[in-house]
Amino acid sequence: MSGSGMMPSLGSGSSLAACCFVYYYIPRVVPDCAECGVNADVEKHLELGKKLLAAGQLADALSQFHAAVDGDPDNYVAYYRRATAFLAMGKSKAALPDLSKVIELKMDFTAARLQRGHLLLKQGKLDEAEDDFKKVLKSNPSENEEKEAQSQLIKSDEMQRLRSQALDAFENSDYIGAITSLDKILEVCVWDADLRELRAECFIKEGEPRKAISDLKAASKLKNDNTEAFYKISTLYYQLGDHELSLSEVRECLKLDQDHKRCFAHYKQVKKLNKLIESAEELIRDGRYTDATSKYESVMKTEPSVSEYTIRSKERICHCFSKDEKPVEAIRVCSEVLQMEPDNVNALKDRAEAYLIEEMYDEAIQDYETAQEHNENDQQIREGLEKAQRLLKQSQKRDYYKILGVKRNAKKQEIIKAYRKLAMQWHPDNFQNEEEKKKAEKKFIDIAAAKEVLSDPEMRKKFDDGEDPLDAESQQGGGGNPFHRSWNSWQGFNPFSSGGPFRFKFHFN
């Protein structure tokens, strides 16, 4: 295609970068330099630049063409060659003034006019592009140039029609219809910043902010000092809950205009929120869960109107309660999150951990299984589910925590205290009736076993992981139960000892 710009189109999800590195086909029929009356130095620069351009050394070629233009500012070939280099480097904005200068110096240079028409069409300047194509047809073009100009005129006319349709649809709040027309236009007018901003507005109205962001980012590059685009991108990221990207974009706005009122006001709000969230996350990393919870409560007060921050804050508070072993609070807050987001894997995992502390094993298994459906490769979920299943099985046997009447997160002092109280209560010497004494002996053995397991960190960890260290069935290699002892082996114990050999024998009247 003679004089045609070879360039990938930008759809609604494409980035501007796709259109920036462009190689154009430039007509080979260029007037001989000798006809231009150029001096020897200029001709040397042009020839060297041509060779460098052919070798792909674009920056060096451009330097030679700069020198040629400086040496002879009225040499239209020098401008045309420099435009060629700019286009090869993807710098269409820089190429356009050079092409205009070529046409000014040589009105009948149809190749330059056709090339400028292509660039104007891509920029969405349809009237100017049509004017160039019509003048090409009136200037005794070659067969290929005539065919190309006619084709581009038809395309430009179609773009005019589609733009009118898009504007009418937008005015009538038919945003889907507007987007349909704009999609087709922007396949051709890829560098039209105004049309991209219009489509972004349609995406916003249709509740598709990420597509709007894509178009606005392109517009921010296509239009110089586009503070409005950066402001809108920042606010959209903010509404999505992405405070870090919101802060980054609003800073770009202030770089262009530090006195921009809306950007500055928004910047202060985002910065305050960002600081609170960063501080809360640091506290979580340090294990200071109560302080982190307070910070996230401040986040919700700072931005009560954007639901995303409320959900994310509650999700992290749920995590803090779970890690801080406050199961009742964790279950309550996690459940609030899951009412808003039933598939929130983080909340499901944290609530499952809280259920384990509360010994609600069926509920924990259900949460882990739901989480696994959405993230089957998560090792933490897999291990949590296996642990919950072991604990459920264990709970159907002997539960040392229940025997002592303490929670699973009880401290060692609480365990010793509960043990002493129960040991005094169920000591067989307290009972005279033989049946009652036998029952007390069995109860006392269970109490002593519970104390031995839960007061030993290693044994307690095994039990917490679903393995009974005193149950032969759960020990690898089998063998007898090391804790199947008779009552006689427990005589002479001291219920007030925190461990070690028993020293005293109590007799109760």
Side-chain angles (χ1 to χ4, degrees):
M1 185 181 294
S2 176
S4 175
M6 310 292 288
M7 171 186 227
S9 64
L10 281 180
S12 61
S14 302
S15 68
L16 180 65
C19 73
C20 291
F21 300 97
V22 186
Y23 290 87
Y24 281 82
Y25 172 78
I26 304 299
R28 299 189 180 200
V29 182
V30 178
D32 184 35
C33 292
E35 297 176 8
C36 308
V38 296
N39 59 45
D41 286 340
V42 171
E43 185 174 356
K44 182 180 178 181
H45 287 308
L46 289 173
E47 287 304 314
L48 182 55
K50 182 179 178 180
K51 290 178 181 179
L52 290 167
L53 186 62
Q57 300 178 40
L58 305 183
D60 292 335
L62 185 60
S63 296
Q64 294 298 322
F65 296 142
H66 281 321
V69 169
D70 292 340
D72 186 358
D74 294 325
N75 187 330
Y76 74 92
V77 175
Y79 286 104
Y80 190 71
R81 292 268 175 83
R82 189 168 71 174
T84 302
F86 278 134
L87 290 171
M89 298 172 77
K91 298 180 178 180
S92 61
K93 286 184 180 180
L96 198 57
D98 275 0
L99 290 172
S100 295
K101 186 66 176 178
V102 172
I103 296 166
E104 177 190 327
L105 293 169
K106 189 170 176 58
M107 297 286 290
D108 61 345
F109 194 174
T110 55
R113 194 179 291 279
L114 192 59
Q115 191 66 280
R116 187 176 71 172
H118 277 293
L119 296 181
L120 292 170
L121 183 61
K122 289 177 183 298
Q123 289 182 346
K125 297 177 180 178
L126 303 181
D127 292 334
E128 295 177 50
E130 287 182 4
D131 184 60
D132 270 344
F133 296 138
K134 287 176 181 177
K135 285 181 178 177
V136 168
L137 293 174
K138 294 177 181 178
S139 62
N140 192 27
S142 68
E143 183 179 346
N144 284 339
E145 288 173 340
E146 181 179 4
K147 185 178 179 181
E148 180 65 17
Q150 288 175 340
S151 172
Q152 295 304 307
L153 268 175
I154 293 171
K155 185 179 291 185
S156 181
D157 184 63
E158 175 67 8
M159 295 305 103
Q160 293 275 26
R161 184 183 66 80
L162 286 169
R163 181 154 64 181
S164 295
Q165 285 183 355
L167 292 172
D168 288 343
F170 184 81
E171 289 296 322
N172 292 317
S173 302
D174 178 13
Y175 303 115
I176 295 294
I179 290 170
T180 301
S181 296
L182 288 168
D183 285 346
K184 295 176 182 177
I185 301 171
L186 286 167
E187 288 179 2
V188 176
C189 306
V190 290
W191 300 333
D192 191 324
D194 292 334
L195 290 182
R196 287 191 175 278
E197 289 177 345
L198 180 62
R199 188 169 66 175
E201 285 299 315
C202 294
F203 282 136
I204 292 170
K205 297 289 186 181
E206 286 299 309
E208 297 189 78
R210 295 199 179 277
K211 288 184 178 180
I213 287 171
S214 178
D215 269 343
L216 288 169
K217 282 189 172 182
S220 72
K221 294 179 175 67
L222 291 165
K223 189 185 294 184
N224 292 332
D225 300 331
N226 197 344
T227 55
E228 187 64 23
F230 284 117
Y231 173 73
K232 286 183 178 179
I233 294 169
S234 179
T235 56
L236 286 171
Y237 274 132
Y238 186 79
Q239 294 293 324
L240 289 169
D242 199 329
H243 54 96
E244 291 178 337
L245 284 176
S246 178
L247 187 61
S248 175
E249 295 295 333
V250 78
R251 280 174 173 157
E252 292 299 318
C253 174
L254 292 173
K255 284 179 185 177
L256 296 172
D257 180 4
Q258 61 182 2
D259 297 322
H260 195 289
K261 291 184 178 179
R262 287 185 298 163
C263 281
F264 185 68
H266 184 59
Y267 168 74
K268 289 195 295 183
Q269 172 70 2
V270 182
K271 188 178 180 182
K272 181 180 180 181
L273 197 71
N274 189 65
K275 188 176 180 180
L276 282 170
I277 293 172
E278 285 183 346
S279 176
E281 287 302 309
E282 186 175 347
L283 289 167
I284 289 175
R285 287 191 292 272
D286 293 342
R288 297 168 59 187
Y289 300 114
T290 301
D291 293 336
T293 297
S294 178
K295 286 288 183 184
Y296 270 115
E297 287 172 348
S298 296
V299 169
M300 291 189 286
K301 291 177 183 176
T302 301
E303 185 46 89
S305 60
V306 180
S307 61
E308 190 66 23
Y309 293 106
T310 299
I311 295 172
R312 297 286 79 79
S313 294
K314 287 191 174 184
E315 179 187 321
R316 298 306 282 162
I317 291 171
C318 148
H319 178 73
C320 289
F321 281 141
S322 181
K323 290 299 180 185
D324 207 22
E325 297 189 341
K326 296 180 178 177
V328 175
E329 293 89 339
I331 292 168
R332 174 178 57 80
V333 179
C334 292
S335 297
E336 290 176 8
V337 175
L338 290 166
Q339 283 181 347
M340 296 179 280
E341 292 182 348
D343 301 332
N344 189 310
V345 172
N346 291 328
L348 284 166
K349 289 195 292 186
D350 287 324
R351 189 171 71 172
E353 288 185 20
Y355 278 142
L356 289 181
I357 296 173
E358 286 292 282
E359 301 174 19
M360 300 169 69
Y361 304 123
D362 287 320
E363 290 83 351
I365 289 170
Q366 184 177 348
D367 273 359
Y368 278 128
E369 287 177 341
T370 303
Q372 196 170 52
E373 289 174 7
H374 300 289
N375 193 349
E376 59 184 18
N377 296 320
D378 190 316
Q379 185 176 353
Q380 187 182 6
I381 295 173
R382 186 167 57 252
E383 291 175 352
L385 178 58
E386 291 171 357
K387 179 179 178 180
Q389 290 169 338
R390 286 197 305 270
L391 289 171
L392 176 62
K393 184 177 179 181
Q394 183 189 84
S395 69
Q396 296 164 352
K397 297 180 180 179
R398 181 165 55 176
D399 188 331
Y400 297 123
Y401 289 104
K402 286 184 177 179
I403 290 170
L404 294 183
V406 296
K407 292 286 186 180
R408 296 191 77 88
N409 60 344
K411 305 298 181 186
K412 185 174 181 179
Q413 289 179 336
E414 297 176 66
I415 291 167
I416 297 300
K417 182 179 179 181
Y419 160 70
R420 288 171 176 169
K421 180 180 178 181
L422 291 170
M424 293 289 291
Q425 178 183 345
W426 290 97
H427 193 287
D429 285 354
N430 290 338
F431 302 89
Q432 302 301 321
N433 181 281
E434 282 301 316
E435 288 297 322
E436 290 180 351
K437 187 181 286 290
K438 286 181 180 180
K439 180 180 177 182
E441 287 178 3
K442 184 177 182 306
K443 187 79 172 176
F444 183 83
I445 290 171
D446 285 342
I447 292 167
K451 182 256 184 184
E452 178 164 327
V453 170
L454 299 184
S455 62
D456 182 282
E458 186 176 342
M459 295 177 74
R460 182 176 181 179
K461 185 179 185 306
K462 284 185 177 182
F463 185 75
D464 286 344
D465 288 337
E467 175 186 342
D468 188 344
L470 304 183
D471 185 353
E473 291 182 6
S474 66
Q475 302 297 308
Q476 291 186 353
N481 188 336
F483 218 91
H484 281 179
R485 309 179 189 177
S486 66
W487 158 240
N488 293 331
S489 67
W490 289 106
Q491 290 188 13
F493 83 107
N494 179 2
F496 295 97
S497 169
S498 60
F502 300 142
R503 298 179 182 177
F504 302 95
K505 181 177 180 179
F506 287 112
H507 295 277
F508 295 91
N509 295 322

